Amino acid sequence: MDIKDIKTQELVKKYNFKFTKSLGQNFLVDDSVLQDIVDGAEVTEDDLVIEIGPGVGTLTAELLKKAKKVIAIELDDELVPILQNELGDNPKFQLVHKDALKVDFNELIGEEKSVKLVANLPYYVTTPIIVRLLNEGYNFKSLTIMIQKEVAERINSEPNCKEYGSISVLVQYYCDTRIVRYVSPNCFIPRPKVESIVIRLDRLGKPRVDVKSEKLFFDVVRNSFNMRRKTLWNTVKSIGLTKEHMEKAFENSGIDPKRRGETLSIAEFAALSDSIYEEKNNS
Ligand code: SAM
C-alpha cells in the first residue's frame, strides 16, 4: 500500500490548526530531521513503533513506511480527527487518544518482541516521560527521542562534568546513550526558544551494575546531587546510619567520604550504596 507523504505546513493550513503552547506543540518542518530520526532509530519491518505526540502525523507517516505497525499516543482532542483523516486508512496505524503519562504501555506492547519508541517529545513532560519509561521496566529495545539540548547533554554526561546529575545516572543505569544529531529551532513551527537534540537510548539486557537495593542506590544518587556542593559524608548522613556504620560503609566501598557525589561513576555509586546496605542491615 502506498503511504501518502504529508507535509506539516500544508496540514496545519488545510485544517486551520491552532497550536497550543501548553502542550509543547512545536512541529517539525524539516525533512532531513524527520529522516535522521527514522534512520537513527533503525526502524525495520519487524518493529512495533510507539510514537508519543504525533502532532499532525508528519513523523508518523515516515515511520509507517518502515515499521510493522505504529501506535501513536496523542493528548490533543483537536489533532485526533486530523490524524484519523490523514492516516486512519493505513492498517498499520493505530491512534491512542490519551496522556502518555497515564498510558499502560504493556497493554499496547502485548506480545510484540521488537518494540521501539520514537518521539519528538513535548518539552514540558520530557523528564517525567523518560523516568517513567525506564523505571517501569517496559520492553522497549530503544528510545529515539528529540528533547531539549540541555536535557540530552545531561543524559549523555560523565562524572566531573557540570551536566552530570541524577538523570545521567538513571538513564545510563538502564541504557547506552548516543547523540544522533543537533536540531536548530528553525526546523520547527512555531520556532521554540531552545535548541534540540535527537538522542538514542538503547536499553541494556540488564542494568549496567548489580545493586543490592535499587531503592537505596537511587536514594544515594538523588541525595548526592540534591546536595551537590556537599561531601559524600554529609549527603550520606541523611540515610540515618550511626557514625561507626558510616565509617565502615565508606571503608568497605573504598570511596573517600571527602569526595563529592558528582565525581562518582555509576559503579562507584553502586559500591557505596551496597556497603551502606550491608551496614544498615548490620545495625
Ligand atoms: N510529532 C510531531 C512533530 O514532530 O512534528 C509533534 C511533536 S510536538 C513537539 C509534541 C506533541 O505531543 C504534540 O502533538 C502535543 O499535542 C503532544 N502531547 C503533549 N503532551 C502530551 C501528552 N501528555 N501525551 C501525549 N501527547 C502529548
Side-chain angles (χ1 to χ4, degrees):
M1 172 181 168
D2 241 358
I3 295 153
K4 273 186 290 175
D5 269 320
I6 55 175
K7 295 279 171 271
T8 308
Q9 302 197 41
E10 280 171 28
L11 288 168
V12 165
K13 208 165 154 207
K14 175 173 165 190
Y15 292 98
N16 192 23
F17 177 74
K18 300 278 178 269
F19 291 90
T20 305
K21 204 173 168 198
S22 60
L23 285 176
Q25 291 180 337
N26 302 97
F27 294 174
L28 265 170
V29 289
D30 185 317
D31 281 346
S32 81
V33 181
L34 291 176
Q35 220 43 65
D36 287 347
I37 295 175
V38 179
D39 292 348
E42 293 180 282
V43 175
T44 75
E45 57 190 19
D46 294 327
D47 296 330
L48 163 64
V49 173
I50 298 189
E51 185 191 5
I52 294 176
V56 287
T58 324
L59 176 59
T60 324
E62 293 304 314
L63 292 167
L64 280 163
K65 290 178 185 170
K66 296 274 174 78
K68 176 160 100 180
K69 182 173 179 184
V70 178
I71 302 179
I73 306 166
E74 177 56 62
L75 180 61
D76 188 354
D77 302 345
E78 304 300 317
L79 289 167
V80 171
I82 301 178
L83 288 160
Q84 288 296 15
N85 203 33
E86 294 297 324
L87 300 169
D89 286 347
N90 190 323
K92 299 201 288 184
F93 174 68
Q94 183 186 333
L95 180 62
V96 174
H97 181 202
K98 280 195 181 147
D99 181 343
L101 284 169
K102 296 186 182 145
V103 163
D104 179 352
F105 286 95
N106 281 333
E107 221 170 73
L108 303 183
I109 291 169
E111 296 300 307
E112 288 293 337
K113 293 279 170 284
S114 185
V115 188
K116 293 176 180 162
L117 186 122
V118 181
N120 169 11
L121 284 178
Y123 293 154
Y124 78 105
V125 278
T126 301
T127 307
I129 285 184
I130 295 174
V131 169
R132 181 162 184 238
L133 292 174
L134 297 180
N135 269 346
E136 294 183 15
Y138 299 115
N139 190 20
F140 291 109
K141 269 192 174 166
S142 62
L143 281 63
T144 304
I145 48 181
M146 172 134 58
I147 56 180
Q148 195 175 327
K149 178 171 166 268
E150 287 71 20
V151 181
E153 286 172 346
R154 285 212 288 279
I155 286 174
N156 205 40
S157 181
E158 290 175 2
N160 293 310
C161 297
K162 73 174 187 331
E163 291 85 7
Y164 189 56
S166 300
I167 188 86
S168 333
V169 177
L170 172 81
V171 175
Q172 293 173 33
Y173 176 76
Y174 292 113
C175 303
D176 281 334
T177 66
R178 176 162 72 79
I179 296 210
V180 175
R181 67 165 282 172
Y182 287 81
V183 184
S184 141
N186 297 330
C187 299
F188 302 88
I189 50 164
R191 196 177 179 280
K193 289 201 180 77
V194 296
E195 289 176 76
S196 304
I197 280 181
V198 180
I199 189 168
R200 175 164 148 179
L201 315 178
D202 284 295
R203 192 146 188 141
L204 301 166
K206 63 184 191 56
R208 190 171 300 282
V209 288
D210 286 327
V211 291
K212 294 198 159 84
S213 158
E214 279 194 350
K215 182 181 175 310
L216 184 62
F217 170 76
F218 285 117
D219 281 350
V220 171
V221 169
R222 222 172 296 114
N223 283 347
S224 302
F225 289 108
N226 281 348
M227 298 181 258
R228 254 190 125 88
R229 307 309 301 163
K230 294 202 171 166
T231 61
L232 281 168
W233 180 269
N234 283 322
T235 61
V236 165
K237 257 189 197 162
S238 57
I239 304 236
L241 290 180
T242 64
K243 186 164 176 274
E244 287 68 35
H245 283 293
M246 278 201 16
E247 280 168 354
K248 207 118 186 261
F250 277 105
E251 195 183 312
N252 291 345
S253 67
I255 290 169
D256 181 347
K258 290 198 212 73
R259 285 173 67 184
R260 291 195 182 125
E262 63 195 7
T263 69
L264 261 60
S265 67
I266 296 180
E268 288 177 316
F269 272 120
L272 181 59
S273 80
D274 279 359
S275 298
I276 293 171
Y277 180 87
E278 292 291 340
E279 293 308 312
K280 262 177 92 109
N281 288 326
N282 287 337
S283 57

